Amino acid sequence: MAQPDNQSKRFFESLSGAGKSIAVLTSGGDAQGMNAAVRAVVRMGIYVGAKVYFIREGYQGMVDGGEENIKEASWESVSSMLQMGGTVIGSARCKEFRSHEGRLKAAHNLVQRGITNLCVIGGDGSLTGANLFREEWSGLLEELVQQGLIDEDAVQKYSALHIVGMVGSIDNDFCGTDMTIGTDSALHRIIEVVDAIMTTAQSHQRTFVLEVMGRHCGYLALVSALACGADWVLIPEMPPEDGWEEKMCQKLSANRAGMKRLNIIIVAEGAIDCNNKPITTDHVKDLVVRCLGFDTRVTILGHVQRGGTPSAFDRILASRMGVEAVIALLETTANTPACVVSLCGNQAVRLPLMECVQMTQEVQKAMDEKKFEEAVKLRGRSFENNLKTYKLLAHRKLESELPHSNFNIAVLNVGAPAAGMNAAVRSAVRVGISEGHKMFAVNDGFEGFYKGQIKEIKWADVGGWTGQGGSLLGTKRTLPAKHVEKIAEQMRAHNINALLVIGGFEALECLLQLYEARSSYEEFCIPMCMLPATISNNVPGTDLSIGADTALNSIVETCDRIKQSASGTKRRVFIIETMGGYCGYLASVGGLAAGADAAYIYEEPFDIRDLQSNVEHLTEKMKGAIQRGLVLRNENSNENYTTDFIYQLYSEEGRGVFDCRKNVLGHMQQGGAPSPFDRNFGTKISAKAMLWLTKKMNETFRQGRVFANTEDTCCLLGMRRRALVFQPVVQLKDETDFVHRIPKEQWWLKLRPLMKILAKYKTSYDVSDSGQLEHVVRNIQPKESDPSGAM
């Protein structure tokens, strides 16, 4: 691997952890992904030269002390942790730490080992306790001197305690971050159960009432309701008005009358009515049985939501946060307030810990005072955006309530199928109808368009589409350039006033061709919007595409199984080929999530010396306690260094130390039910796009027709760092490598050094984009361009 240049070397010297000791603990409830965070803290800490310690059983272990509870961590001690749920270093509630005497014991135990840097992974209670400990630190040391337990030199040497927090909580109830570690995995568990229940409910025409966790926060219930298209959701932040029982039963009855064979009602465990009375699943069930006579069952998911392996999202989030936490600890000074590493859109940020805690406490205060709108705003942009989207989609308006727009909008899929496309189409159709438009579905992309495969699509036609993989409309790679005249005829025939195109790189090319065709055909002088949907995540203008998260989870699950197959066997290295065309996103980010030793991609050229270096690295690794290696290769990373070539090279060079196996993952990466993230992301950005198209049609309506010919009426909606942004497609041309079908600059390349560092390679790591301390107030102000809590 390339050696760090001089500038990078100066960076490593400035961030040297030599002589420093860092301790990591998990406290409060467990959450999937905590182990990935612990692993990242340990390996990044060791990487920069610090001593790193595990504190077992949370604050209880800190108070009890002893070799078993506070133990130095080694590189190997965190191997094979990435895919494990819960927390392997244990977590416990500790009453003793809440007392002054308990914190005095804890301080003594830390000073004995020279630990003055704490990385705390937990909820708001755990982080509040850590901050109090930090504030009392100098006083605790003085008490220890008076008791003769430490000397004055120790007080001088260990004068300040530095703390960085990471939020591990499946409830996503901590203000200041779009997502907490464990939330996405909990959504995976919920959606797996809901998908399974829907098949049996459909068979028997049943109603299911599901209770999900969320005593004080309805995030899991709200997002899972969005992700499965639930008929009704009950959450603490949106208590139903008086008479809700009748409205709910009317909706359930109407859905059954519309040939829907099942109903799903999701209830957060902390759901309340407008009088602050709890709403239980049994109450909801009795209501449905009494009023409608429907066969109704209750399922309480309970702690299954906190179990299982962490999702790809949580592994990446936790790894990024763990590395960021170590950097924050090394950069902190005596005057730096305790901070928490958070996620804002797609960017890691540092926020003052107590500002976040106070904001979280203000949410509960607002709830207690029945100021529910204020509570929703305090929850942050991600929660507020989810709630707005749910309200848009949940309740079908009566014909008399609909605005009458006389606008027709066509929606189609272009390129290869990607999980989440159907959720985006469903959202577009229902938001469009709610806005008073006529919605038209085009089958088989632009090929179907010029052949006239266009028909009106109604509200009920997209029922149950959210959880379906692939593309139910059908999708083709055909570009419109050769067929513009026929497409223009069809647009004229159906009076199409706006176009929503959902797809990958081909969709971008399609919109560019249609934009250019405006000069010849007035039919294309209408608002047009593209939503990026491709597993390759190779569309310029967006950090994320619909479908990429599902593909990542497929890759990570397969890697976990493949690595497990070597358990108990001799030392083995697996070479795995991923899809992605010339874009190395799946190989790189999948490698980070699966704990790969190397990932070969087109964007980072490699030669035989790099391959040899990787083999030597794995040979050295295999001589120790670690017995498995994992290497990912993007399908088009190099035309000569093929998967077969790399497999044969590794087999030959590793002879006598390890053997090799190879696996080409193929189209399984495109298949399967969409992940909760892709369902939610597709639903939200599609709703946002439809509102934008409505606005543009109204703005450009002149003399009885829509006429839009400016750049800003032909846009791609994508996530850029912290926000969802509409960008004119013509402005994206300069950012695009059309030969290799990738953006010229790709944000995720900055994650590659993390994968290498966590695999024990010496490499340069750019901290210019590292999180800087900000104030939480700025991050909770609602913005028009709202990020969707993303990786």
Side-chain angles (χ1 to χ4, degrees):
M1 284 289 159
Q3 291 301 307
D5 56 29
N6 289 333
Q7 189 176 356
S8 300
K9 284 179 181 174
R10 286 198 297 276
F11 156 73
F12 281 116
E13 285 161 14
S14 69
L15 266 194
S16 172
K20 294 190 177 181
S21 293
I22 299 171
V24 57
L25 70 144
T26 53
S27 179
D30 65 309
Q32 307 97 318
M34 278 184 165
N35 290 323
V38 170
R39 172 181 177 267
V41 169
V42 169
R43 291 197 167 175
M44 187 63 177
I46 292 171
Y47 187 84
V48 296
K51 271 190 174 184
V52 187
Y53 292 85
F54 293 135
I55 298 179
R56 299 190 184 277
E57 311 305 335
Y59 288 117
Q60 192 66 55
M62 198 191 293
V63 171
D64 293 343
E67 285 296 322
E68 283 304 307
N69 289 315
I70 304 177
K71 188 173 185 178
E72 188 173 352
S74 66
W75 193 274
E76 290 73 23
S77 62
V78 291
S79 64
S80 302
M81 275 176 65
L82 200 54
Q83 66 268 32
M84 296 174 73
T87 164
V88 296
I89 60 173
S91 180
R93 311 279 180 189
C94 180
K95 287 184 181 178
E96 203 172 349
F97 188 76
R98 294 177 189 172
S99 68
H100 184 78
E101 293 74 18
R103 292 192 292 276
L104 190 66
K105 284 183 190 176
H108 185 218
N109 289 327
L110 293 187
V111 170
Q112 281 183 312
R113 289 161 183 81
I115 297 169
T116 55
N117 296 281
L118 271 187
C119 186
V120 181
I121 308 164
D124 60 334
S126 305
L127 298 178
T128 304
N131 190 63
L132 175 62
F133 190 41
R134 184 186 73 92
E135 289 174 346
E136 290 182 348
W137 182 258
S138 56
L140 293 170
L141 295 195
E142 289 298 335
E143 281 187 58
L144 291 171
V145 169
Q146 289 166 14
Q147 293 178 17
L149 294 171
I150 62 172
D151 55 28
E152 287 289 351
D153 288 344
V155 175
Q156 294 298 318
K157 192 174 180 182
Y158 309 119
S159 58
L161 179 68
H162 304 300
I163 285 169
V164 172
M166 286 182 274
V167 189
S169 165
I170 68 165
D171 292 329
N172 204 31
D173 56 354
F174 192 81
C175 291
T177 186
D178 285 348
M179 286 288 265
T180 57
I181 296 167
T183 304
D184 187 69
S185 300
L187 285 170
H188 273 257
R189 298 298 91 77
I190 294 167
I191 294 305
E192 283 164 13
V193 171
V194 173
D195 284 352
I197 276 174
M198 285 174 90
T199 55
T200 183
Q202 197 150 14
S203 301
H204 297 277
Q205 296 195 56
R206 281 183 179 146
T207 297
F208 269 87
V209 184
L210 276 81
E211 181 185 286
V212 302
M213 282 185 166
R215 198 171 301 138
H216 305 294
C217 178
Y219 185 89
L220 289 179
L222 178 61
V223 175
S224 55
L226 266 176
C228 73
D231 297 272
W232 203 267
V233 67
L234 295 158
I235 59 172
E237 295 87 350
M238 189 177 65
E241 297 171 359
D242 286 334
W244 65 272
E245 295 94 340
E246 187 181 345
K247 286 181 182 176
M248 184 185 76
C249 289
Q250 282 174 352
K251 185 180 181 189
L252 298 180
S253 182
N255 285 347
R256 283 293 175 95
M259 304 304 289
K260 187 175 179 183
R261 292 177 58 86
L262 75 154
N263 301 111
I264 300 288
I265 302 165
I266 295 180
V267 184
E269 61 179 328
I272 51 171
D273 63 18
C274 56
N275 300 309
N276 272 8
K277 290 182 180 175
I279 300 175
T280 65
T281 49
D282 284 336
H283 173 65
V284 175
K285 176 192 169 181
D286 293 343
L287 185 68
V288 174
V289 172
R290 186 175 72 251
C291 297
L292 299 173
F294 290 173
D295 185 2
T296 307
R297 299 284 191 275
V298 169
T299 299
I300 297 174
L301 269 64
H303 282 74
V304 71
Q305 295 158 86
R306 280 160 75 155
T309 60
S311 66
F313 183 104
D314 272 328
R315 298 184 198 196
I316 298 158
L317 175 66
S319 297
R320 287 177 75 181
M321 284 187 166
V323 168
E324 184 68 39
V326 172
I327 295 170
L329 281 172
L330 297 180
E331 290 180 344
T332 194
T333 65
N335 300 321
T336 309
C339 75
V340 60
V341 180
S342 300
L343 183 76
C344 183
N346 190 33
Q347 193 175 18
V349 295
R350 301 176 200 169
L351 300 171
L353 191 153
M354 288 317 294
E355 283 186 22
C356 295
V357 169
Q358 284 158 12
M359 195 71 70
T360 304
Q361 291 168 348
E362 282 178 34
V363 174
Q364 196 54 50
K365 185 183 174 189
M367 300 265 289
D368 293 340
E369 294 172 359
K370 296 188 180 181
K371 297 177 181 175
F372 297 109
E373 284 187 17
E374 185 183 328
V376 168
K377 278 192 166 59
L378 289 167
R379 280 261 181 251
R381 300 162 310 173
S382 180
F383 190 95
E384 192 175 10
N385 209 22
N386 281 312
L387 191 55
K388 282 179 183 174
T389 308
Y390 176 78
K391 286 178 178 177
L392 264 177
L393 294 168
H395 304 296
R396 184 178 183 178
K397 295 174 183 174
L398 299 171
E399 290 290 332
S400 57
E401 296 174 325
L402 290 172
H404 193 58
S405 73
N406 285 323
F407 290 139
N408 296 343
I409 301 177
V411 57
L412 67 159
N413 296 334
V414 174
M421 277 182 164
N422 297 321
V425 172
R426 170 186 176 270
S427 177
V429 168
R430 293 196 167 177
V431 173
I433 291 170
S434 294
E435 291 293 303
H437 311 315
K438 258 191 184 179
M439 297 300 298
F440 288 84
V442 183
N443 293 113
D444 297 336
F446 281 102
E447 187 173 312
F449 211 131
Y450 82 80
K451 290 178 179 176
Q453 294 173 295
I454 304 165
K455 62 179 182 181
E456 188 179 352
I457 187 165
K458 304 277 192 176
W459 184 282
D461 295 336
V462 291
W465 278 34
T466 316
Q468 298 287 320
S471 166
L472 292 171
L473 288 184
T475 179
K476 294 281 179 72
R477 296 182 186 271
T478 308
L479 300 181
K482 292 179 181 176
H483 312 285
V484 283
E485 190 173 338
K486 288 183 179 177
I487 293 169
E489 282 177 20
Q490 293 295 338
M491 293 188 82
R492 222 173 19 250
H494 293 89
N495 190 26
I496 301 299
N497 306 117
L499 201 58
L500 181 67
V501 181
I502 303 164
F505 198 89
E506 292 91 350
L508 176 67
E509 293 177 304
C510 290
L511 250 63
L512 284 167
Q513 290 179 4
L514 294 180
Y515 178 81
E516 288 168 8
R518 280 177 168 180
S519 58
S520 305
Y521 298 90
E522 286 192 355
E523 288 81 1
F524 301 120
C525 293
I526 58 172
M528 294 184 273
C529 185
M530 173 196 163
L531 302 180
T534 165
I535 69 165
S536 303
N537 201 32
N538 64 331
V539 179
T542 187
D543 290 355
L544 297 160
S545 300
I546 299 165
D549 184 72
T550 305
L552 273 179
N553 278 288
S554 295
I555 291 166
V556 169
E557 285 168 20
T558 306
C559 288
D560 286 352
R561 290 178 184 179
I562 286 171
K563 287 200 293 185
Q564 193 178 44
S565 73
S567 180
T569 65
K570 58 185 177 181
R571 292 173 171 84
R572 184 163 287 169
V573 174
F574 298 94
I575 317 291
I576 296 174
E577 181 182 296
T578 66
M579 292 176 82
Y582 284 97
C583 180
Y585 176 82
L586 290 178
S588 297
V589 182
L592 178 61
D597 296 278
Y600 300 118
I601 62 170
Y602 167 76
E603 295 90 340
E604 194 174 283
F606 59 96
D607 57 25
I608 196 69
R609 287 170 299 224
D610 293 312
L611 291 169
Q612 184 62 32
S613 172
N614 293 151
V615 172
E616 289 169 2
H617 182 88
L618 278 164
T619 303
E620 195 61 35
K621 170 181 167 178
M622 294 291 180
K623 288 176 182 175
I626 299 172
Q627 297 195 345
R628 288 170 292 183
L630 183 66
V631 174
L632 270 61
R633 178 189 174 274
N634 169 248
E635 59 184 349
N636 288 348
S637 56
N638 189 294
E639 62 180 342
N640 294 314
Y641 299 133
T642 62
T643 302
D644 283 336
F645 177 89
I646 292 172
Y647 163 69
Q648 289 165 2
L649 176 73
Y650 272 66
S651 297
E652 181 61 34
E653 296 297 318
R655 195 186 298 275
V657 180
F658 60 80
D659 66 358
C660 273
R661 295 289 185 273
K662 65 174 178 177
N663 196 309
V664 177
L665 299 184
H667 282 74
M668 59 149 283
Q669 296 158 84
Q670 268 185 342
S675 68
F677 180 91
D678 278 331
R679 299 183 195 199
N680 186 246
F681 187 50
T683 298
K684 282 201 283 189
I685 67 168
S686 188
K688 193 173 185 71
M690 289 304 297
L691 297 177
W692 181 84
L693 287 172
T694 301
K695 181 184 171 191
K696 291 294 177 186
M697 285 189 294
N698 287 324
E699 286 175 357
T700 58
F701 188 73
R702 299 283 185 277
Q703 299 176 338
R705 58 168 291 191
V706 172
F707 186 82
N709 64 347
T710 55
E711 286 185 1
D712 66 348
T713 57
C714 183
C715 287
L716 177 147
L717 174 56
M719 171 167 280
R720 281 271 169 106
R721 292 166 71 85
R722 301 191 185 195
L724 285 171
V725 185
F726 289 95
Q727 300 150 96
V729 291
V730 288
Q731 293 179 15
L732 295 174
K733 285 171 79 172
D734 292 339
E735 300 179 23
T736 308
D737 174 353
F738 283 96
V739 174
H740 298 100
R741 302 161 63 82
I742 54 174
K744 288 178 181 175
E745 289 188 16
Q746 305 190 78
W747 69 273
W748 51 264
L749 286 169
K750 291 181 179 178
L751 296 182
R752 282 184 62 80
L754 297 191
M755 184 191 72
K756 294 173 186 175
I757 286 169
L758 298 177
K760 215 175 184 177
Y761 285 101
K762 283 289 177 189
T763 186
S764 56
Y765 181 55
D766 177 15
V767 289
S768 60
D769 201 32
S770 187
Q772 302 301 314
L773 196 64
E774 302 177 10
H775 290 286
V776 70
V777 177
R778 267 190 295 164
N779 289 325
I780 66 148
Q781 296 303 320
K783 296 180 182 177
E784 188 183 343
S785 44
D786 231 331
S788 92
M791 189 67 216

